[in-house]
Amino acid sequence: MVKYVLTGATGGLGSQVLKYLLQLVPASDIAVSLHNPSGLSQEILSTGIEVRQGDFADPASLDRAFAGAEKLLIVSYPSIAHELRVQMHTNAIDAAKRCGVKHLYYTSLAFAGDSVAAVMQAHLDTERYLQASGLTYTILREGIYSESFPLYLGFFDPAGGAHEVRVPHSDGGVAWVSRPDLGEGTARIMASGAHANETLLLSGARARTLAQLAATVSALVGRTLALRVVPEDEYVRAHAGGPGPRGEEAFLRKWATTYRALARGELAVVDPLLQQILGRPLKPVEETVAEMLQASGAVMEQYAK
Ligand SMILES: NC(=O)c1ccc[n+]([C@@H]2O[C@H](COP(=O)([O-])OP(=O)(O)OC[C@H]3O[C@@H](n4cnc5c(N)ncnc54)[C@H](OP(=O)(O)O)[C@@H]3O)[C@@H](O)[C@H]2O)c1
C-alpha cells in the first residue's frame, strides 16, 4: 500500500529523491504526484511505482494525488513569482490536511530565516503556513545546488568567451551541494521518520566564494575569469535583454537581492547534518562544475525561471 507520495519527481531534485527512495523502501510503497505524468522515464516506470496526476494549481487533482499518503514530499514550485508560488504551496498543504497526511516534507531553501533575498520570501511564507497548519512537518532548507553555479556567476556561459563575471553588491561564501547528495539525504530523512516538526539545513561541507568558484572555472575553461562587484544598475544593464525571463529588469532586480544576502553570510553556513546522514563525504562543488563544463555548454538556462 502507498505510504510515500512525492511531488516534483520529474525535476532535478525530486528525481534524485525518488531514485534514492527506491533503494530504501519497496516501489509498491511509493506513488508520484506529477504535474505532467508523461514526464517519467521508462526506467522509473518499470519499477512499478504508482503514477498520479497532481497540479498545485488544481486542488481537486491534489486530493486525488495525495490520497492515502502517510509521508508527502512537496517540492517547491519552480518560479520566483512570489504570490503564485505561495499559492501553489498553500494549495498543496491544504490538500495534505484534507487527505490526512501524517508527515509533510517541504523543500525550502538555504537562505537565512530573516533573509533579504527575494527568492527566499515565498519559502519563508510557506514555512510559516506549514508550521501553523497543525500538520506534522519537516522543513528541509535544501542547500544551493552546485548545478546552479552559472546563475550565481553572472549567468556564466562557457561558450561566451567572457573574461569577467559581474555581480552586484557583494561576493560571499556559498556552501554549495550537489542535487544527488540532497536527493539522497532527503530520501533518507523521509524513510527514517525522524526530525518531526524541525527545520533542517542541508548544506555542502564547506563554503566557497564566487571568486573562488570563478578561479575553479578559469582553470577548467583555460581562460581567466575575474569576478568584479559592480553597482546594481550596471549589473542590470549588462544582463537586460538576455534570453527568457532572466533578461527582464524585474527578474534581475529581484535576483540582485541574492547578493545582499551573500554579504550577510546567509549562504555560507555549513551544517554537518547531510554528511552525517549520508555517512560519506559530500561531492565537492569543483567536481560538479567540472562535469557540467565537460558535458555541455547549455548548462544555465534551466534556472533562469
Ligand atoms: N536549492 C537551490 O539551489 C535551487 C536552485 C534552483 C532552483 N531551486 C528550486 O528548488 C525547487 C526544485 O528544484 P528542481 O531543480 O527540482 O526544479 P525543476 O527541475 O524545475 O523541477 C520542478 C518540478 O516541479 C514540477 N511542477 C511544475 N509545475 C508544477 C505544478 N503546477 N504542480 C506540481 N508540480 C509542478 C515540475 O513538473 P513538470 O516537469 O511536469 O512541470 C518538476 O517536476 C524548485 O522550486 C526550484 O525553483 C532551488
Side-chain angles (χ1 to χ4, degrees):
M1 213 172 77
V2 164
K3 293 183 184 150
Y4 296 83
V5 173
L6 308 184
T7 68
T10 54
L13 176 64
S15 61
Q16 294 295 324
V17 179
L18 176 57
K19 175 182 159 187
Y20 287 103
L21 194 60
L22 279 164
Q23 295 172 15
L24 298 170
V25 305
S28 55
D29 284 4
I30 306 174
V32 289
S33 162
L34 298 183
H35 176 231
N36 170 16
S38 63
L40 273 190
S41 68
Q42 266 312 317
E43 188 190 346
I44 292 293
L45 285 173
S46 68
T47 63
I49 60 164
E50 190 181 331
V51 180
R52 302 173 175 181
Q53 202 273 336
D55 181 346
F56 291 152
D58 176 4
S61 75
L62 299 179
D63 286 346
R64 292 188 294 273
F66 298 169
E70 289 181 15
K71 298 179 182 182
L72 170 67
L73 177 69
I74 300 295
V75 172
S76 61
Y77 177 70
S79 166
I80 64 162
H82 181 105
E83 282 170 19
L84 174 67
R85 204 175 200 194
V86 175
Q87 187 61 57
M88 296 295 203
H89 299 160
T90 55
N91 285 350
I93 292 166
D94 291 347
K97 271 186 94 165
R98 289 194 298 274
C99 291
V101 167
K102 295 195 173 65
H103 195 146
L104 190 154
Y105 299 80
Y106 170 69
T107 67
S108 183
L109 197 53
F111 288 85
D114 63 348
S115 181
V116 296
V119 70
M120 188 63 185
Q121 303 311 312
H123 289 295
L124 293 175
D125 283 354
T126 305
E127 288 186 4
R128 283 188 281 269
Y129 192 81
L130 181 55
Q131 284 163 335
S133 70
L135 284 162
T136 298
Y137 66 85
T138 303
I139 292 166
L140 301 160
R141 288 193 177 161
E142 308 274 355
I144 299 303
Y145 303 159
S146 302
E147 291 83 354
S148 67
F149 84 90
L151 182 56
Y152 290 79
L153 279 190
F155 308 103
F156 173 69
D157 176 1
H163 285 270
E164 68 172 18
V165 169
R166 280 181 273 186
V167 300
H169 303 306
S170 175
D171 188 3
V174 180
W176 308 95
V177 57
S178 74
R179 279 188 310 204
D181 283 347
L182 289 172
E184 182 176 353
T186 300
R188 288 189 178 280
I189 288 168
M190 289 188 75
S192 78
H195 303 294
N197 299 332
E198 291 180 23
T199 298
L200 309 177
L201 174 63
L202 302 181
S203 77
R206 59 184 186 169
R208 284 275 170 272
T209 64
L210 300 182
Q212 286 170 325
L213 206 64
T216 298
V217 173
S218 299
L220 290 164
V221 298
R223 68 171 184 274
T224 302
L225 199 65
L227 190 94
R228 197 154 68 83
V229 176
V230 299
E232 183 176 311
D233 285 344
E234 184 180 335
Y235 170 78
V236 170
R237 271 199 309 277
H239 297 293
R246 66 108 163 150
E248 292 165 16
E249 178 169 352
F251 175 93
L252 291 163
R253 297 269 177 212
K254 270 191 194 172
W255 185 245
T257 61
T258 298
Y259 299 84
R260 292 194 188 281
L262 281 187
R264 302 172 80 221
E266 289 190 28
L267 295 181
V269 181
V270 169
D271 191 309
L273 180 66
L274 181 59
Q275 191 159 314
Q276 284 163 4
I277 289 169
L278 301 192
R280 58 166 173 78
L282 303 180
K283 184 172 178 174
V285 62
E286 292 81 1
E287 219 174 290
T288 302
V289 170
E291 286 170 6
M292 288 172 70
L293 290 174
Q294 275 158 18
S296 154
V299 290
M300 67 178 211
E301 293 310 327
Q302 57 179 323
Y303 287 115
K305 57 189 178 186

